Amino acid sequence: MGSKEEEVTKSIKLPVTIDVALRNIKDAKIFAMDIGGSLTKIAYYSTVPFKKIAYDSIEAGQENESLEDVYELTEGARLHFIKFETKHIEYTLDYIQKCLLGSNNQITGSTIKVTGGGAYKYAQLIEQKLGLKISKKDE
């Protein structure tokens, strides 16, 4: 029989590499949080670059064009959802702060929508770490 630790149900944790979970946060235009007693959820909207085939530039019989000539770089929108245990909120806010400070993001100084009991409990921490005003919303 296993030890008592092995018998305990595993909890939801931030991934070992938080940078994977929040890889586009530096490009966030808007984000919101729902902070509960055990789980915190973050939803954010970001823009991401991607290559798109430029069908207009492809003509029949042009076989010796490089692949780069048939693609154009464009920007698309993406909605991201992340959940983690609320006990990791300070660590996550530190990571988000580091990402936002190192980017050309205009989100600092704006408002973030926060729901749940944590909207009240962590309001000062969020304002302090992220430089965002809190707009508390009832669920």
Side-chain angles (χ1 to χ4, degrees):
M1 191 148 218
S3 70
K4 223 175 187 178
E5 260 185 23
E6 291 174 351
E7 294 175 20
V8 176
T9 306
K10 294 189 182 223
S11 60
I12 299 170
K13 296 180 182 176
L14 280 171
V16 175
T17 55
I18 189 173
D19 54 328
V20 172
L22 296 168
R23 67 185 165 271
N24 296 107
I25 196 77
K26 68 184 178 308
D27 300 317
K29 305 297 181 204
I30 300 170
F31 72 96
M33 301 174 78
D34 175 47
I35 307 172
S38 58
L39 281 180
T40 295
K41 285 76 71 189
I42 296 176
Y44 68 96
Y45 161 85
S46 71
T47 54
V48 291
F50 65 92
K51 288 182 178 180
K52 180 174 104 174
I53 295 177
Y55 290 105
D56 296 341
S57 67
I58 302 172
E59 293 183 21
Q62 290 183 331
E63 295 176 16
N64 48 348
E65 260 190 56
S66 75
L67 285 179
E68 291 301 317
D69 294 337
V70 295
Y71 289 101
E72 62 185 34
L73 192 59
T74 187
E75 197 172 81
R78 184 170 288 165
L79 194 56
H80 307 267
F81 298 95
I82 289 92
K83 65 181 175 187
F84 56 91
E85 288 182 330
T86 301
K87 68 182 180 183
H88 298 293
I89 194 163
E90 191 163 357
Y91 173 73
T92 304
L93 292 174
D94 286 339
Y95 181 83
I96 293 170
Q97 177 190 39
K98 184 178 79 171
C99 290
L100 293 179
L101 288 177
S103 71
N104 294 330
N105 201 316
Q106 304 296 326
I107 203 164
T108 305
S110 60
T111 302
I112 180 174
K113 307 284 188 215
V114 184
T115 61
Y120 299 92
K121 183 175 181 178
Y122 296 105
Q124 186 176 0
L125 181 67
I126 294 167
E127 288 175 349
Q128 173 193 357
K129 297 247 184 216
L130 303 182
L132 300 171
K133 294 175 182 75
I134 303 294
S135 175
K136 300 172 188 120
K137 298 289 180 187
D138 291 330
E139 295 178 39

